PDB file of all heavy atoms in Angstrom:
ATOM      1  N   MET Q   1       2.582  39.862  49.833  1.00 55.00           N
ATOM      2  CA  MET Q   1       1.689  38.712  49.758  1.00 55.00           C
ATOM      3  C   MET Q   1       0.262  39.283  50.055  1.00 55.00           C
ATOM      4  O   MET Q   1       0.042  39.916  51.031  1.00 55.00           O
ATOM      5  CB  MET Q   1       2.165  37.674  50.648  1.00 55.00           C
ATOM      6  CG  MET Q   1       1.231  36.582  50.734  1.00 55.00           C
ATOM      7  SD  MET Q   1       1.863  35.317  51.805  1.00 55.00           S
ATOM      8  CE  MET Q   1       1.417  33.815  51.038  1.00 55.00           C
ATOM      9  N   ARG Q   2      -0.758  38.941  49.292  1.00 62.00           N
ATOM     10  CA  ARG Q   2      -2.058  39.335  49.574  1.00 62.00           C
ATOM     11  C   ARG Q   2      -2.888  38.137  50.052  1.00 62.00           C
ATOM     12  O   ARG Q   2      -2.673  36.994  49.632  1.00 62.00           O
ATOM     13  CB  ARG Q   2      -2.710  39.908  48.245  1.00 62.00           C
ATOM     14  CG  ARG Q   2      -2.056  41.116  47.852  1.00 62.00           C
ATOM     15  CD  ARG Q   2      -2.675  41.712  46.600  1.00 62.00           C
ATOM     16  NE  ARG Q   2      -1.919  42.806  46.156  1.00 62.00           N
ATOM     17  CZ  ARG Q   2      -2.332  43.697  45.218  1.00 62.00           C
ATOM     18  NH1 ARG Q   2      -3.526  43.462  44.622  1.00 62.00           N
ATOM     19  NH2 ARG Q   2      -1.652  44.689  44.887  1.00 62.00           N
ATOM     20  N   THR Q   3      -3.877  38.390  50.807  1.00 63.00           N
ATOM     21  CA  THR Q   3      -4.732  37.349  51.458  1.00 63.00           C
ATOM     22  C   THR Q   3      -6.200  37.660  50.974  1.00 63.00           C
ATOM     23  O   THR Q   3      -6.704  38.692  51.244  1.00 63.00           O
ATOM     24  CB  THR Q   3      -4.600  37.307  52.928  1.00 63.00           C
ATOM     25  OG1 THR Q   3      -3.277  37.040  53.354  1.00 63.00           O
ATOM     26  CG2 THR Q   3      -5.461  36.156  53.481  1.00 63.00           C
ATOM     27  N   PHE Q   4      -6.667  36.638  50.329  1.00 61.00           N
ATOM     28  CA  PHE Q   4      -8.095  36.772  49.861  1.00 61.00           C
ATOM     29  C   PHE Q   4      -8.937  35.719  50.591  1.00 61.00           C
ATOM     30  O   PHE Q   4      -8.565  34.548  50.643  1.00 61.00           O
ATOM     31  CB  PHE Q   4      -8.220  36.630  48.387  1.00 61.00           C
ATOM     32  CG  PHE Q   4      -7.653  37.787  47.600  1.00 61.00           C
ATOM     33  CD1 PHE Q   4      -6.298  37.878  47.269  1.00 61.00           C
ATOM     34  CD2 PHE Q   4      -8.557  38.933  47.254  1.00 61.00           C
ATOM     35  CE1 PHE Q   4      -5.864  38.868  46.585  1.00 61.00           C
ATOM     36  CE2 PHE Q   4      -7.988  39.926  46.541  1.00 61.00           C
ATOM     37  CZ  PHE Q   4      -6.692  40.007  46.252  1.00 61.00           C
ATOM     38  N   ILE Q   5     -10.204  36.130  51.038  1.00 59.00           N
ATOM     39  CA  ILE Q   5     -11.127  35.230  51.627  1.00 59.00           C
ATOM     40  C   ILE Q   5     -12.391  35.412  50.938  1.00 59.00           C
ATOM     41  O   ILE Q   5     -12.973  36.451  50.961  1.00 59.00           O
ATOM     42  CB  ILE Q   5     -11.271  35.502  53.143  1.00 59.00           C
ATOM     43  CG1 ILE Q   5      -9.957  35.354  53.859  1.00 59.00           C
ATOM     44  CG2 ILE Q   5     -12.272  34.646  53.774  1.00 59.00           C
ATOM     45  CD1 ILE Q   5      -9.924  35.732  55.297  1.00 59.00           C
ATOM     46  N   GLY Q   6     -12.869  34.394  50.244  1.00 63.00           N
ATOM     47  CA  GLY Q   6     -14.072  34.406  49.523  1.00 63.00           C
ATOM     48  C   GLY Q   6     -14.181  35.609  48.523  1.00 63.00           C
ATOM     49  O   GLY Q   6     -15.143  36.186  48.294  1.00 63.00           O
ATOM     50  N   GLY Q   7     -13.009  35.875  47.886  1.00 67.00           N
ATOM     51  CA  GLY Q   7     -13.020  36.941  46.848  1.00 67.00           C
ATOM     52  C   GLY Q   7     -12.834  38.287  47.395  1.00 67.00           C
ATOM     53  O   GLY Q   7     -12.582  39.292  46.737  1.00 67.00           O
ATOM     54  N   HIS Q   8     -12.658  38.410  48.726  1.00 67.00           N
ATOM     55  CA  HIS Q   8     -12.424  39.696  49.401  1.00 67.00           C
ATOM     56  C   HIS Q   8     -10.945  39.800  49.959  1.00 67.00           C
ATOM     57  O   HIS Q   8     -10.516  38.828  50.520  1.00 67.00           O
ATOM     58  CB  HIS Q   8     -13.484  39.996  50.596  1.00 67.00           C
ATOM     59  CG  HIS Q   8     -14.787  39.911  50.072  1.00 67.00           C
ATOM     60  ND1 HIS Q   8     -15.438  41.027  49.515  1.00 67.00           N
ATOM     61  CD2 HIS Q   8     -15.789  39.067  50.101  1.00 67.00           C
ATOM     62  CE1 HIS Q   8     -16.627  40.776  49.189  1.00 67.00           C
ATOM     63  NE2 HIS Q   8     -16.900  39.562  49.485  1.00 67.00           N
ATOM     64  N   GLN Q   9     -10.306  40.903  49.768  1.00 72.00           N
ATOM     65  CA  GLN Q   9      -8.963  41.008  50.236  1.00 72.00           C
ATOM     66  C   GLN Q   9      -8.936  41.480  51.662  1.00 72.00           C
ATOM     67  O   GLN Q   9      -9.634  42.405  51.965  1.00 72.00           O
ATOM     68  CB  GLN Q   9      -8.096  42.002  49.460  1.00 72.00           C
ATOM     69  CG  GLN Q   9      -6.705  42.169  49.882  1.00 72.00           C
ATOM     70  CD  GLN Q   9      -5.923  43.122  49.037  1.00 72.00           C
ATOM     71  OE1 GLN Q   9      -6.339  43.723  48.134  1.00 72.00           O
ATOM     72  NE2 GLN Q   9      -4.576  43.140  49.254  1.00 72.00           N
ATOM     73  N   ALA Q  10      -8.253  40.665  52.561  1.00 69.00           N
ATOM     74  CA  ALA Q  10      -8.152  41.023  53.948  1.00 69.00           C
ATOM     75  C   ALA Q  10      -6.792  41.688  54.100  1.00 69.00           C
ATOM     76  O   ALA Q  10      -5.752  41.167  53.853  1.00 69.00           O
ATOM     77  CB  ALA Q  10      -8.231  39.772  54.884  1.00 69.00           C
ATOM     78  N   VAL Q  11      -6.756  42.992  54.510  1.00 69.00           N
ATOM     79  CA  VAL Q  11      -5.533  43.691  54.725  1.00 69.00           C
ATOM     80  C   VAL Q  11      -5.232  44.066  56.182  1.00 69.00           C
ATOM     81  O   VAL Q  11      -4.199  44.573  56.579  1.00 69.00           O
ATOM     82  CB  VAL Q  11      -5.515  45.036  53.903  1.00 69.00           C
ATOM     83  CG1 VAL Q  11      -5.527  44.697  52.424  1.00 69.00           C
ATOM     84  CG2 VAL Q  11      -6.694  45.900  54.311  1.00 69.00           C
ATOM     85  N   SER Q  12      -6.238  43.788  57.085  1.00 74.00           N
ATOM     86  CA  SER Q  12      -5.899  44.114  58.477  1.00 74.00           C
ATOM     87  C   SER Q  12      -6.649  42.945  59.368  1.00 74.00           C
ATOM     88  O   SER Q  12      -7.359  42.137  58.932  1.00 74.00           O
ATOM     89  CB  SER Q  12      -6.564  45.452  58.871  1.00 74.00           C
ATOM     90  OG  SER Q  12      -7.999  45.380  58.820  1.00 74.00           O
TER      91      SER Q  12
END
Side-chain angles (χ1 to χ4, degrees):
M1 178 180 213
R2 295 181 185 191
T3 303
F4 289 88
I5 299 173
H8 300 280
Q9 183 177 3
V11 294
S12 69

